[in-house]
Amino acid sequence: MCELGKEFYRLFKDENITKILTIEASGIGIACLAAQYFGVPVVFAKKTKTINIYSDTYNATVHSYTHKKDYDIVVSKEFLSKEAIVPLNSENRVNVLIIDDFLAKGSALTALLMLIEKAGAKTAGAGIVIEKAYQGGGNLVRDMGIRVESLAKIKSISKKDGIVFCKQ
């Protein structure tokens, strides 16, 4: 598992990352592994507001295709705004790397991008462990001008052929 964090560091080490952002829950462990190599803190967006999230928040909506519903994700402003975060990059901005386990249709990733934009921060890119390329989310985000680096890309899944990976 540590090799995942090390590989994301190798891919993004020249991007002057100041913060890593993920969404609960399965992305947190991978984000923490990557953060070790960057030497920066991890922030994660919560899917439900709890008592330890203050009223001053950034919010975005994610559509879950798996659960067939929309839900709001939330991050306290104190964790993503430049006023509360040091160090900043050379442009005096928080420079955020998104880390997540899977990328399918891109709903979670685009919601995280909205949180970063609302915070006035800069998106350095997104590191994804497994991209389901056949669902189009990676290309959707790349077409927005965001650098997406996936460690594995699934071209297709079928009962006949099983999992077919894209050649990298």
Side-chain angles (χ1 to χ4, degrees), residues 3-123:
E3 293 300 314
L4 296 174
K6 190 184 294 184
E7 181 63 5
F8 287 129
Y9 177 76
R10 185 189 70 78
L11 291 167
F12 290 98
K13 67 182 175 197
D14 297 328
E15 297 296 326
N16 197 16
I17 306 300
T18 61
K19 186 74 66 170
I20 291 179
L21 176 66
T22 193
I23 191 166
E24 70 173 355
S26 53
I28 296 172
I30 300 159
C32 289
L33 292 170
Q36 286 184 136
Y37 294 97
F38 286 97
V40 300
V42 173
V43 173
F44 64 92
K46 293 190 61 90
K47 294 178 183 174
T48 55
K49 198 168 186 178
T50 59
I51 61 170
N52 60 345
I53 293 181
Y54 308 105
S55 60
D56 205 12
T57 60
Y58 298 115
N59 303 290
T61 301
V62 175
H63 178 74
S64 171
Y65 293 93
T66 307
H67 297 103
K68 295 182 170 69
K69 70 175 195 171
D70 289 344
Y71 55 91
D72 289 328
I73 59 171
V74 60
V75 171
S76 291
K77 287 184 177 180
E78 71 174 304
F79 298 125
L80 205 53
S81 66
K82 75 176 184 180
E83 289 77 20
I85 315 270
V86 287
L88 301 175
N89 69 8
S90 59
E91 300 168 349
N92 200 33
R93 293 175 76 185
V94 176
N95 196 29
V96 181
L97 174 62
I98 297 170
I99 297 287
D100 208 356
D101 57 348
F102 282 94
L103 170 57
K105 295 192 179 231
S107 183
L109 185 51
T110 55
L112 292 171
L113 290 168
M114 279 192 243
L115 294 177
I116 294 167
E117 184 178 324
K118 288 178 180 182
K122 179 182 175 192
T123 301

Side-chain angles (χ1 to χ4, degrees), residues 131-146:
E131 178 181 338
K132 298 176 183 177
Y134 62 93
Q135 291 189 314
N139 288 337
L140 171 81
V141 175
R142 288 179 186 97
D143 288 346
M144 296 167 59
I146 303 296

